[in-house]
Amino acid sequence: MGYKRWKKGKEEQTVKVREQNAEKIYNIEKTKEVHSATDIKDSKNIVANSTISAGGNVTIGDNNTHYHYSGDKNIPPALTKPPFRSEIFLGREDDLKTIKEKLFSEGNNMLLLVNGHGGVGKTSVAAQYYTTCQNDYRYTAWVGSEYSIANALLANLTQPLGLVFEPQEKEAERLDKLLHAMAKLDKPCLLVIDNANDLEDLEHNYQRLRQCSNFHILLTSRIREFRRAAFYPIKGLPKDKALELFEEYYQPPLTAEELPLFYGIYEAVEGNTLVVEILAKNLYLFNRKKGDYTLSDLLADLQHKGVLDLPKTVSVEVDYQQYRKENPKDIIAAMYDIQPLSEIERQLLSVFAVLPSETIPLATLEAHLLPDMPELRATAYLLSTRGWLEYYEANKEYKCHPLVQEITRKKNTFLRADCNTLIDALIAKLEYDTLHEGNYKYATLFAHYAETVVKVFEEPVLCQNIGNYHTEIGNLDKALFFYLKCEQLSKQLLGTETNNPNFKRGLAVSYSKLGDTYMALGNLEKALNFFEDENKLFEEFYKSDPNYVDFKNGLAVSYERLGLTYIALGNLDRALNFFEDENKLFEELYKATPIMSLSKRVWRFLTPNSAIRIRPLGI
């Protein structure tokens, strides 16, 4: 009777009547033919085993939901809502083909991790595979899991599988029941777990997932190593495809003059697919709504401010995690969440976030930059397996992606404290005494690291020591740049605490360094100005405590610098006055501490013709 009722059905038949009839059919037949009759996808209304024929599907009623049967339950083929798909999908056809081959191959790896940086395109590839291949599976499910696979499965699959749990049942018990129900479904089935980025959670749930041998389980993840799983890496779009994607959203196509600017933008974000899309959409919408924001402007902002501090942004539409229409900064910042990291993991990641985005040898970290950090090697390795760092095994080097760096700098409220050890190490490595050891191979490397660090932290002493390095190698223009930055930062600090003696001394040192450098460059008037400023500060120090040796010595040296400058200017009378003042102070110093004073005098007169090598003695 069941099929007769199906054939007599009218458009006004309700969903409830059809489901009741389907149950009756199942109770009578309980055969594979019933599964075949109901296993129709991508259809709106179907009359199963009917003699009605037409050019297309025969529509009866208005129901979109179809069911398979598992045991005594109606199970929808789509166990969850489908994922959002990218509006434009480019350059990934080979990826889709390879993933399908791996999953359907004999003796296949039922668990496949698709790994890559945040925003590189993992979710887009998985969503495209889910959509284009869903007809190859009897059941499909898509769940998101940032930290808990168990929670994701229970939250999304309990209801469609018709499970009811007792209130006292624990999560582990519920998950076992859920996986048991999943394992009973007719194969093949597809389960995609998006953003499975927690290594410990994956370790904990791996064997449970393997119970579902009827499922192809595809995970998107930043995890880079998991000993029991197959990996398929997803990389950023190549330049030609990234350009095509950018032009789709930017409109109109780029001119020949604009192409180098785009490639500069591409390099600045290291080809990150999501960021390329967001920047194109933002550029188009901003110009449409608010004014002229050129590719040249965007590239300059990326290079000087970073992607999270772009000054000209509007909300854009994007299918990424929970975001649909948000400010680009918020979407990009959501790629990584540092909260789950342990303290030592956060500290090491912070160090990488302020160093250059280039490979850094593990040996350099251990021996020079972070010699006292516990478990440094193990922590670096763990961060790399979780996708925070890239590991290059051949040379045992690590690198941090610029997006990860920028997000870490933005989100970590403990960034300065986490980097104190690094800053202190770089200051020490670039001290004058260290530079005079002649080990310029390492000094060059440390200066390079330090120049990146001072872009994040305005540290005047580190600026001063970078200037020292460039002075030593004869790059006076670059030395001048960092000494001027040291002066600027010292003034800012002194502005916050006007009577702080350490800040005053720091400013005096910057004046002396600037005077020395301008003198070496031949700009005697500029040198004189800075030596006079230095002298004023040391006269203040001396008046505050005339018997303090360091103040007296510093003032004496400032007199000597003024004397040398006036000699160079040809004003011998003024030079003589300053040398006489200097001599009086050193006589006092000699009477008080003869050995110290004499040794300093000897050092200075050993280098009488090298103004740039005169150090701020006693400071």
Side-chain angles (χ1 to χ4, degrees), residues 111-181:
L111 184 63
L112 176 69
L113 281 79
V114 182
N115 69 308
H117 283 299
V120 80
K122 304 182 299 294
T123 299
S124 295
V125 171
Q128 191 73 10
Y129 178 82
Y130 182 99
T131 303
T132 58
C133 298
Q134 61 183 332
N135 289 330
D136 296 315
Y137 296 96
R138 291 187 63 79
Y139 297 94
T140 57
W142 177 287
V143 301
S145 169
E146 187 70 27
Y147 305 118
S148 174
I149 292 173
N151 286 345
L153 295 177
L154 289 168
N156 289 278
L157 300 182
T158 297
Q159 183 175 353
L161 291 175
L163 298 176
V164 178
F165 301 120
E166 297 298 328
Q168 68 272 17
E169 285 185 288
K170 296 181 179 179
E171 182 185 84
E173 297 172 325
R174 296 184 180 196
L175 182 61
D176 286 340
K177 287 185 178 181
L178 178 69
L179 293 173
H180 181 70

Side-chain angles (χ1 to χ4, degrees), residues 376-573:
L376 188 154
R377 187 174 291 247
T379 304
Y381 180 73
L382 189 58
L383 286 173
S384 70
T385 61
R386 291 174 172 171
W388 291 96
L389 300 176
E390 299 172 43
Y391 179 52
Y392 299 85
E393 188 171 6
N395 297 316
K396 291 183 171 52
E397 297 175 327
Y398 288 91
K399 177 189 174 184
C400 190
H401 191 280
L403 281 178
V404 179
Q405 289 184 309
E406 194 168 348
I407 291 170
T408 302
R409 294 195 299 264
K410 202 74 172 178
K411 288 188 172 183
N412 184 11
T413 56
F414 304 101
L415 185 68
R416 183 60 173 81
D418 287 345
C419 295
N420 277 339
T421 300
L422 171 68
I423 293 170
D424 290 344
L426 289 173
I427 288 174
K429 295 295 180 183
L430 296 173
E431 289 285 358
Y432 245 120
D433 292 340
T434 306
L435 293 176
H436 281 295
E437 291 174 358
N439 192 352
Y440 290 107
K441 174 185 175 182
Y442 284 110
T444 300
L445 180 65
F446 298 140
H448 171 58
Y449 290 165
E451 287 178 25
T452 304
V453 171
V454 296
K455 293 178 181 177
V456 182
F457 304 115
E458 296 185 328
E459 175 55 58
V461 178
L462 190 53
C463 288
Q464 173 192 312
N465 286 6
I466 297 171
N468 293 346
Y469 163 77
H470 287 294
T471 296
E472 285 296 309
I473 65 172
N475 190 344
L476 297 182
D477 288 333
K478 203 162 186 180
L480 183 63
F481 172 84
F482 284 101
Y483 288 147
L484 286 170
K485 190 171 181 66
C486 176
E487 178 206 15
Q488 173 194 354
L489 296 176
S490 298
K491 284 182 176 179
Q492 290 176 1
L493 288 173
L494 193 57
T496 62
E497 297 182 42
T498 55
N499 294 318
N500 188 311
N502 291 323
F503 294 166
K504 281 188 177 182
R505 252 185 283 189
L507 182 58
V509 171
S510 72
Y511 287 151
S512 71
K513 296 290 185 180
L514 286 166
D516 288 342
T517 308
Y518 275 117
M519 195 166 188
L521 288 168
N523 192 334
L524 301 183
E525 295 295 338
K526 276 275 192 179
L528 181 61
N529 291 337
F530 283 111
F531 287 146
E532 288 174 341
D533 289 338
E534 175 198 16
N535 180 255
K536 289 177 184 177
L537 284 176
F538 273 107
E539 284 182 341
E540 290 181 21
F541 294 148
Y542 180 70
K543 288 178 182 177
S544 67
D545 189 352
N547 296 318
Y548 187 52
V549 171
D550 280 354
F551 291 165
K552 188 176 293 187
N553 185 70
L555 180 58
V557 173
S558 74
Y559 285 146
E560 180 184 48
R561 287 195 175 94
L562 287 169
L564 290 171
T565 308
Y566 275 111
I567 286 177
L569 288 167
N571 192 335
L572 301 184
D573 290 336

